[in-house]
Amino acid sequence: MSLMSWNEKMSVGVVAFDTEHKKLVEMLNQLFDAVQAGKGRDVLGEILDKLIEYTKSHFAYEERIMGQNAYPDLEAHKKEHEELTRKVIDIQKKYHSGATVTLSMEVLTFLKDWLLKHIQGTDKKYTPYLNAKGIR
Ligand SMILES: [Fe+2]
């Protein structure tokens, strides 16, 4: 069983963003699988780092497209991205320093819930605007 799966209800109506969201879901599932399989700190740390790197580049990409199209809610959207980025960097630091011994189900569930809520709430708000600008 994977932690989550991408479905059409999660589509934000922009192919490039859907593709990246699918990749995020896949990477989060990889982390979940590795935790379930009892993989060691090094393996988990590497997957976590990759997930965070990808998340940051995805956020930057969304922000660039929104910015280029003068999306009116850009600032609020950016704030949500920044807040999550801060939180995951904190988790990453704690994990690598050994202060956090395990990547708990709580962390994985937090990431999953955040991703779902953000995509289905905040991201979907840009769909009509960007689509009207010819971005789909
Ligand atoms: Fe977003």
Side-chain angles (χ1 to χ4, degrees), residues 15-69:
V15 176
F17 293 160
D18 280 348
T19 303
E20 293 200 347
H21 288 153
K22 285 175 192 168
K23 176 81 178 162
L24 281 173
V25 167
E26 189 191 310
M27 291 176 93
L28 190 52
N29 279 329
Q30 263 174 26
L31 186 60
F32 172 73
D33 290 343
V35 168
Q36 295 288 92
K39 298 281 184 196
R41 291 190 66 81
D42 294 356
V43 175
L44 296 184
E46 261 178 51
I47 301 172
L48 180 67
D49 292 349
K50 279 186 193 149
L51 172 64
I52 293 171
E53 270 323 295
Y54 194 81
T55 302
K56 286 197 272 188
S57 84
H58 167 65
F59 286 171
Y61 180 45
E62 267 190 2
E63 287 168 16
R64 195 164 66 242
I65 300 297
M66 287 187 276
Q68 281 168 358
N69 289 281

Side-chain angles (χ1 to χ4, degrees), residues 24 54 63 68 76 89 92 104 106 111-112 121 123 126:
L24 281 173
Y54 194 81
E63 287 168 16
Q68 281 168 358
I89 287 173
Q92 187 183 33
S104 63
E106 199 187 331
L111 293 172
K112 176 185 106 172
D123 282 348
Y126 59 51

Side-chain angles (χ1 to χ4, degrees), residues 62 77 81 118 123:
E62 267 190 2
H77 200 129
H81 286 171
H118 181 77
D123 282 348

